[in-house]
Amino acid sequence: MSQPNSWQPGSNVEKDRLEKAEKLAERGIELYPRRVQRTHTTAQAIAAFDAAGEDAAPVTVTVCGRIRRMNIRGRVAFMHIEDDSGRVQLFIRVNDVGEATYEIIKEKLIELDDFVQATGHMMRTKTGEVSVAVQEIVLLSKSLSPLPVIKQKTLDDGTVVEYGEFTDIEARYRQRYADLAVNHGVREVFRKRSRTINAIRAFLDDEEDMLEVETPILQPIYGGAAARPFTTHHNQLDQMLYLRISFELYLKRLLVGGYDAVYEIGRDFRNEGVSYKHNPEFTQIEFYKAYADYNDVMDIAERMVAYVAQKVNGTTRVHYDGHDIELAPPWRRVRLRDAIREASGIDYMAHPDAPALAEAINAISEKPLPPDTTWGRMIDILLSRFVEPNLIQPTFLIDYPRDISPFAKRVDYDDFHVERFEMFIAGMELGNAFTELNDPRDQESRFIDMAQLYAADDDEAAPMDEDYLRAMRYGMPPNGGFGMGVDRLVMLLTGQTSIRDVLLYPHMRDQK
RNA sequence: GGCUCCGUAGCUCAAUGGCAGAGCAGUUGCCUUUUAAGCAAACGGUUGUAGGUUCGAGUCCUACCGGAGUCACCA
């Protein structure tokens, strides 16, 4: 350490630990050594003992991990060390490790939260726990700040009971490392998150033969969704840039280029409010498949979610927020118009303009509509107030009004609706998809419609993406597109009811 | 951004407007098969921040900081 440290111990525990670190250094013990010689994970060590059998020659292992429990008796000590695979008990006797080493343990110079490496043979203690009879123990990393103390007891049936908690939500999010280190189950949520993304990729690559691509996150023109963007700036080019709000327009250009089916898994950024299901940056999967329509996309979507659930949880059933949900296809498909009519009694086709529809809504809902609500927006309000909360089992709502769907192709039965669906599970919107518009002239007029809508609105115009139209004029194959919020799928598969609990680092306000 | 609730020891929580407490962790002892180990003792606080009311504020009031919930925004 060449620079003096500004860090000062903030508690009696930290003061003690700093003193212990100095004592160790005085005894010539390296606090943060370079080399480690692990031969077994804790799980492998136990498995090796079980495989060898009780009467076999001793299995010698070197295991590493963080000390999570200590019980020092006069001349013998027990501790549990934890690594990514689990825990194993160390059995340490002064006779085996020698006076000098035992002193270090007895004085707790090596203590809770430190990382250690232990070498010894596997054995079973009197009370039956498979343990490492330690011959040598080496400090791997000295912990200077105490983690929250959580003790656990494993019952006979294998369930783990915890005593002591680390529940301060703010601290858990701001210091996710501490949350992961001590809270049983949090690491499993994020393992499942990883498996979810792997499974999506496997499904689209192997089952659907799609090509994974990467498109720009920094975009000169944003689009593909209605959301406020984050802005940034390239210094040398003196160029205003937006963080993407969707991948849509860049992916569809690739179908013009000749790929049959492309997908991207990545981060979107939306400069909007945060909630239990909204984070400013979130992970999205979008795919676009040539020669497919929204019916084909529905087939793919329901198979994909079931496939992922099977891979992640080993079942297509999930228990979420008090509901038992079956994800196996086929899912219910209902026209949006019918769903709204059933739930609210309002047939929006009977109220074809904003004032008429507003009157109908105000007649049945106490909540006032925001001023200047457009007709399309009212449809959305009807959907979110009356329909969405009740869509517990997987459901596709299909055929949306054209006004609120600028990238979807018209249905064949009227001029009002487009071939679009949204999918809902557990009262949450998970995905959004269309039979994609591929008529460049129709697309241009939709852009103009949107620009007018936004201009009437407020601060920003919906950007007209001229290059996207140019691409489309070369000819874009008919195609079906799909987008899904991966975080929300992970919530569903892990039983978490807040998006923050499936994001390792959810967005937080600056700490002053 | 509006409204409601919350912020006390490292962690989890108590405390009618009247001496700021407990358990765990840490410290000091005892203990060679414990496992939420145990027993004994001592220690641990600018009650989120800044003001105010009051003889007296963790508690009541105002503002601010942070968090949660909810509404709005999110086609």
Side-chain angles (χ1 to χ4, degrees):
Chain A
M1 241 169 292
S2 48
Q3 298 294 323
N5 271 208
S6 63
W7 178 74
Q8 294 296 324
S11 67
N12 60 334
V13 182
E14 289 183 338
K15 277 188 201 100
D16 291 337
R17 291 201 175 182
L18 211 48
E19 282 168 18
K20 289 171 179 179
E22 283 161 11
K23 281 186 192 168
L24 285 163
E26 282 164 16
R27 297 187 196 189
I29 290 165
E30 181 76 64
L31 299 181
Y32 304 99
R34 288 172 190 74
R35 310 281 178 242
V36 179
Q37 283 108 23
R38 176 159 85 163
T39 63
H40 293 70
T41 67
T42 60
Q44 287 166 345
I46 291 168
F49 177 81
D50 290 340
E54 301 279 338
D55 303 322
V59 180
T60 297
V61 300
T62 297
V63 290
C64 301
R66 189 195 287 279
I67 300 173
R68 294 302 310 280
R69 171 186 160 258
M70 273 190 112
N71 175 17
I72 300 168
R73 306 181 52 103
R75 307 288 284 165
V76 62
F78 300 86
M79 55 179 81
H80 275 110
I81 63 167
E82 182 176 275
D83 64 13
D84 200 6
S85 72
R87 292 186 177 197
V88 70
Q89 179 169 261
L90 306 184
F91 175 56
I92 302 165
R93 292 191 305 173
V94 62
N95 314 37
D96 297 330
V97 297
E99 289 286 347
T101 299
Y102 195 83
E103 269 306 296
I104 285 167
I105 288 160
K106 181 145 193 207
E107 289 176 47
K108 290 198 180 179
L109 299 183
I110 290 177
E111 64 193 314
L112 229 50
D113 303 336
D114 290 343
F115 282 88
V116 295
Q117 166 181 296
T119 302
H121 64 265
M122 300 305 296
M123 49 86 74
R124 194 184 288 278
T125 62
K126 267 185 190 165
T127 50
E129 180 163 352
V130 176
S131 307
V132 181
V134 175
Q135 299 294 323
E136 187 186 13
I137 183 164
V138 176
L139 180 63
L140 292 182
S141 179
K142 183 67 196 161
S143 165
L144 297 180
S145 296
L147 286 166
V149 181
I150 294 179
K151 299 187 175 185
Q152 33 175 264
K153 177 162 75 174
T154 306
L155 302 178
D156 291 340
D157 64 2
T159 55
V160 174
V161 187
E162 303 210 301
Y163 303 85
E165 292 178 290
F166 179 42
T167 54
D168 182 317
I169 292 173
E170 182 179 356
R172 287 184 49 223
Y173 294 158
R174 287 195 195 276
Q175 302 187 45
R176 181 66 88 181
Y177 34 86
D179 185 34
L180 289 163
V182 303
N183 278 334
H184 185 73
V186 176
R187 266 181 284 173
E188 185 56 22
V189 168
F190 292 100
R191 276 194 204 98
K192 282 192 174 183
R193 183 185 172 105
S194 174
R195 291 210 297 273
T196 298
I197 291 167
N198 279 336
I200 292 170
R201 194 167 269 134
F203 178 83
L204 296 175
D205 284 343
D206 303 340
E207 307 288 318
E208 296 298 318
D209 198 26
M210 295 191 188
L211 180 74
E212 181 172 13
V213 297
E214 293 172 283
T215 64
I217 290 173
L218 295 174
Q219 303 181 343
I221 299 175
Y222 64 94
R228 285 165 208 232
F230 288 94
T231 57
T232 187
H233 178 259
H234 189 287
N235 287 343
Q236 198 215 329
L237 302 179
D238 189 20
Q239 182 182 16
M240 176 76 151
L241 290 164
Y242 302 93
L243 272 61
R244 65 180 173 192
I245 58 172
S246 85
F247 326 150
E248 171 141 0
L249 302 181
Y250 279 97
L251 287 177
K252 279 193 280 188
R253 284 169 166 96
L254 298 176
L255 301 186
V256 173
Y259 294 117
D260 271 358
V262 294
Y263 76 93
E264 179 165 6
I265 298 172
R267 211 67 67 85
D268 272 342
F269 306 85
R270 297 188 183 176
N271 206 338
E272 290 158 1
V274 298
S275 79
Y276 71 94
K277 53 182 179 181
H278 297 268
N279 194 65
E281 53 182 300
F282 62 100
T283 298
Q284 174 117 282
I285 154 70
E286 287 187 25
F287 70 72
Y288 294 85
K289 184 176 167 70
Y291 319 121
D293 63 23
Y294 75 150
N295 291 304
D296 302 312
V297 173
M298 275 185 265
D299 293 342
I300 296 171
E302 62 188 10
R303 278 191 292 113
M304 177 169 78
V305 170
Y307 175 97
V308 171
Q310 188 69 43
K311 284 260 182 179
V312 171
N313 286 334
T315 169
T316 57
R317 298 194 70 89
V318 293
H319 189 77
Y320 187 82
D321 203 15
H323 300 293
D324 281 309
I325 297 168
E326 176 55 74
L327 300 174
W331 297 355
R332 197 161 70 101
R333 301 182 183 190
V334 193
R335 282 190 182 158
L336 175 65
R337 181 183 172 189
D338 296 335
I340 289 177
R341 191 166 45 197
E342 281 165 27
S344 70
I346 294 175
D347 180 2
Y348 57 71
M349 292 300 284
H351 309 279
D353 57 62
L357 189 53
E359 195 179 327
I361 294 174
N362 287 328
I364 60 161
S365 178
E366 289 159 17
K367 242 190 276 182
L369 289 169
D372 301 325
T373 307
T374 61
W375 185 84
R377 173 75 189 121
M378 287 179 204
I379 303 294
D380 205 53
I381 287 173
L382 283 168
L383 166 59
S384 53
R385 281 192 200 167
F386 295 99
V387 183
E388 180 169 350
N390 300 316
L391 298 179
I392 304 302
Q393 297 301 319
T395 305
F396 293 114
L397 292 186
I398 67 174
D399 296 357
Y400 278 57
R402 175 178 176 273
D403 293 37
I404 52 176
S405 314
F407 298 107
K409 206 177 268 189
R410 285 180 176 82
V411 297
D412 55 12
Y413 61 81
D414 70 25
D415 276 344
F416 240 90
H417 292 91
V418 294
E419 294 197 345
R420 172 185 179 186
F421 73 78
E422 290 188 307
M423 57 187 233
F424 296 85
I425 307 175
M428 269 193 303
E429 180 200 333
L430 261 84
N432 185 16
F434 326 114
T435 301
E436 302 289 339
L437 193 58
N438 64 338
D439 174 345
R441 289 173 301 175
D442 193 352
Q443 183 69 71
E444 181 168 357
S445 66
R446 305 276 190 107
F447 273 139
I448 292 167
D449 286 348
M450 292 310 288
Q452 283 170 351
L453 260 175
Y454 272 81
D457 189 15
D458 51 354
D459 33 38
E460 52 200 87
M464 166 80 76
D465 193 333
E466 294 285 359
D467 180 72
Y468 179 65
L469 292 171
R470 176 170 62 185
M472 205 180 262
R473 276 186 224 111
Y474 284 118
M476 177 184 287
N479 69 93
F482 173 80
M484 180 178 71
V486 173
D487 312 282
R488 291 184 186 174
L489 180 63
V490 176
M491 287 167 68
L492 191 68
L493 295 180
T494 58
Q496 301 299 316
T497 53
S498 169
I499 196 170
R500 301 179 193 104
D501 289 318
V502 300
L503 295 166
L504 281 168
Y505 301 104
H507 184 76
M508 289 274 145
R509 205 181 289 261
D510 265 352
Q511 224 171 354
K512 292 284 163 61

